[in-house]
Structure formats: C-alpha cells, structure tokens
Amino acid sequence: MSKIISLGIWALGFLLLASQRHSPLLSNMGLSVLAYKATAFFIPRVGAAFIRRGFAGKDMNKIEKRVIPETMGAVSALVYFMCMILFIPILFYKYLVPERSRDQQDDQLNVLNDGYASVAKTQFPHDQLGAYLSAVISILSISLLGIFDDLFDIRWRHKFFLPAIAAIPLLVVYYVDYGVTYVSVPTLLRPFLKRTVVDLGFLYYIYMAAVAIFCPNSINIIAGVNGVEAGQSFVIGLVVLCNDLISVFHQSNTEAMRAHLLSIYLVLPLIGVTAGLLEYNWWPSRVFVGDTFCYFAGMVLAVVGILGHFSKTLMLFFIPQIFNFILSVPQLFGFVECPRHRLPRLNVKTGLLENSYTEFTEGIPLPKKTLLTIRVFEALYLIRVDWDQKTKKPIRCTNFTIINFVLYHFGPMREDRLTLCIMGIQLVVGIFGLVIRHGIAPLVYPQDSI
Ligand code: UD1
Ligand code: MG
C-alpha cells in the first residue's frame, strides 16, 4: 500500500511538472513534490557513506546514544539546487520557445525563429533572471559555510557575520530593481509626525543584512531535539507560502505580485526538501540535519523575505527565534557560562526530556553581572534557578533557550512531543503574523500595498 502511495506521489510530481507550458507555478509544485521524494530517496542511501567520511553525531537524548549520519541538510540543499537550476528554463519558457503550429514549413520556422530570437532578446526579463540567480548564489554560499561548519566546527564569532556577505548579491538586486527603503507611519501617528512614510535609506540595507545574519543563526540555536530544526523550518516555510498566496490573490500591484511569485518559487522546493528530511530526522531520528541544513533553510527564508519585499513581515514569523535569541543573549555574550550543548537532558528512568542546567562551581564567587542576570531572568519566569538554602548562592540554572523555557513551564515531555510543542508555537505565531499583516496592518497602513 505504501509503495502505491509513493508511486502516486512520484506520478503527481511528474504530472504537475509536465504542465509547464501552462503555468510555471504548477511546474514548481511538481518539482517540489519530486524534491520531497528525491530527498527521501537519497538520504537513507547516502547515510553510511556520510558516516565513513566523518559526518556523524551522537544522539544524546537516547539511552544507547547511537551514532547516526549528520549533515543530511547537504542532501536537501543539493536537491534544492537541482530544482532551482531545472526551473530556470521552465520559468522563462515563453521567452525561449516560439509559439508555432505543427504545419509550419521548415523555412518558415527558420524565419520565425530568427524573428523570435530578436524579440526574445529585447523582451527577455533579465532583471527577473538576475534576482533569481542572486538568490541561488546567496543560498549556495551559505550552504557551503554550513558544510564547513559541520566539518570544522567553526567558532560562532567567526561565522556569525558571513551571511551578510552572502547577502550582498541580493541587496544589489534589491537596490537596482526595487530600492524602496521607506517604512510607512501608522495612521494614528501621522498627524504628530506630519508624514506618511519615513525613509531609512542605507539603514534599511543594514536591516536586510541583519535579517540574513539572523535567520540562519537563529534556526541553528533552536536545536538538539530530534526534528526541531527541520520542523520549525517546515512550519515557517508553510506560513511564508500562505503569506505569498494571500498576497498574490489580493494584490492589484503587479510588482508586488511578481515579488511574491518569486518567493513561492523559492519556498515551495524548500518545503519539499524539508519534508523529505523530516521523514528521517523525526523522532527517533535516523539522521541529523547538521548546521548545513540550519544555514541553508534560514538563508532561503531570508532570501524570500528580501526578494519578496516582506522582510518586516518575515520577522513576525520569526518571533519564536527572536524570543530564543533574546533569551540566549546572556549565554551568547558571556554574562552566564555557556556550555557547548544546551539541549535538554534525558531522564533514563522516565524516558522524558528534562531541563539542562548550567552548574556554578562551589566556592568560586560569581561576577555581579552573572548574579544580576540570573535574578532578573528568574523573576521574569524565563529560567529556573536552584539556590543553596544556607549560603543563598545559586547552585545551577536552566539553560537560556526556548526549549528549556517550554520544559520549565510545561514539565518534562517525550522528545517528539517537545518538537511538536515548538512546531505548535511556531504555527500559532505564524497565524498571528498573517492576521497582523493581512487583517490589521491594512487598517493601520492604508497605502502600504506590499
Ligand atoms: C547548537 C546550540 C547548542 C545545542 C546544539 C544542538 C547554541 C549557542 N548552540 O550548537 O546549545 O546543543 O545546537 O544541535 O544554542 N544532537 C542531538 N539530537 C538532535 C540534534 C543534535 O543529540 O536531535 C546533537 C548531536 O550530537 C549532534 C550535535 O547535537 O552531533 C550537533 O550539534 P551542532 O549543530 O554542532 O551544535 P551547534 O550548532 O554548534
Ligand atoms: Mg547546529
């Protein structure tokens, strides 16, 4: 039965792809279905070879701590790039192939082709191809960084800013093709500020570079629980797709429609390859996604936000990652010690995941900034701190991550439930973001069409 369903999915993919003469969107859907199947096909077949080359990791939240293949995001990324490249002639099909009827003579065809070639040259949308290729270059370079990170465990301060360099092609295309750097002022504030828009100029480009830095890194630090890296990316991908579809069907502005269509072409295959990966990364994981996947998926999402002209809306969908980043600041910036791994710990007796802790060495006085930080975060119910009743000194505190925050408030849970919980939060936040963008924002920013 499962074989029949699998064959059916392959067939559906090819059928949709074959419809390319009518709609690049349907073909892109077909390619994405095939991308899902191809990723799920290759992952189990290349796992052993990855382990032999050293791409392997220990599944820390299992009793037996098995070693399984890591860096499987490289397979997703590779399949994704295949799709991107195959899609180029499909997207520009109408500019590449002349319309012709079967009964035309050869010589007539030659004349027609010559004529067509010159028309194609003048009408070919080089700007669209430029935008598309800049997306591919940015995603490709950041996936390379991910592979190097999985190979050499690069320090985070060394790799942190690299996505901004990878984003340069995107920013150049944005500048040349679109160039909008203003933000609308909400209706209520307009009488006070006496203007409808504020131009951020160069700062807007800094903001977009920051988005490119933030997205890949923020996915990489909500990690360490089976399925959570791919799960959050999958949900954000779906939410971005909904945002694009709503925009495409409700926009009268062709510029905005084109931008959102481009975003769909980039995000649909991401959803496909992530679903294929998730099949093997879901609890109990048979493979790990690696930093390669986190960077790759994060960059695709940043790219669609920038080229789709909705980088501000995108940040609404990244609220869980923003929360996790703000929560992580004390550990990332050394106010509180940051262990190499902050993932939760398995209680072997119950089989449930519990909070992981940062332990404070007895007898070594803690710096004032550490004490102040843990007191403030404890008072805000963001972390739990165990205090020594006699000395009134902290013994340990839960690690500063959204995963530990969920375990602190909802109690220990099985690994897959924890992933589902994070995905659930991501989905609720995504729906909230869509309501804000499409329900409330039009009332507050009446002229903001994109
Ligand atoms: C980030 C987190 C780190 C977390 C790690 C888990 C920060 C600053 N860094 O580090 O706290 O522990 O991700 O990925 O927040 N692993 C599992 N189960 C999983 C996924 C991963 O046990 O479901 C383990 C495996 O041993 C795997 C390793 O995590 O080999 C991968 O860690 P890596 O991606 O190298 O960690 P970082 O991204 O540096
Ligand atoms: Mg990682």
Side-chain angles (χ1 to χ4, degrees), residues 113-126:
N113 277 343
D114 284 350
Y116 184 82
S118 57
V119 172
K121 263 186 203 150
T122 50
Q123 289 189 351
F124 188 86
H126 293 278

Side-chain angles (χ1 to χ4, degrees), residues 56-61 70 153 159 220-221 223-227 229 285 288 290-291 332 338-343 401 415:
K58 214 188 277 172
D59 198 346
M60 300 204 228
N61 285 322
E70 191 148 5
D153 233 339
K159 64 191 178 194
N220 191 28
I221 61 171
V225 178
N226 288 183
E229 302 94 331
S285 289
F288 286 139
D291 291 340
L332 294 180
C338 184
R340 167 70 184 86
H341 283 289
R342 303 192 293 166
L343 48 81
T401 65
E415 197 166 2

Side-chain angles (χ1 to χ4, degrees), residues 210-219 294 298-299 301-302 314-315 318:
V211 168
I213 293 175
F214 179 74
C215 295
N217 283 301
S218 66
I219 290 181
C294 302
M299 197 62 182
L301 295 167
L314 184 73
M315 286 301 102
F318 268 79

Side-chain angles (χ1 to χ4, degrees), residues 78-91:
L78 211 67
V79 172
Y80 182 86
F81 290 120
M82 286 296 171
C83 288
M84 289 294 95
I85 289 164
L86 284 173
F87 189 59
I88 293 176
I90 297 175
L91 181 56

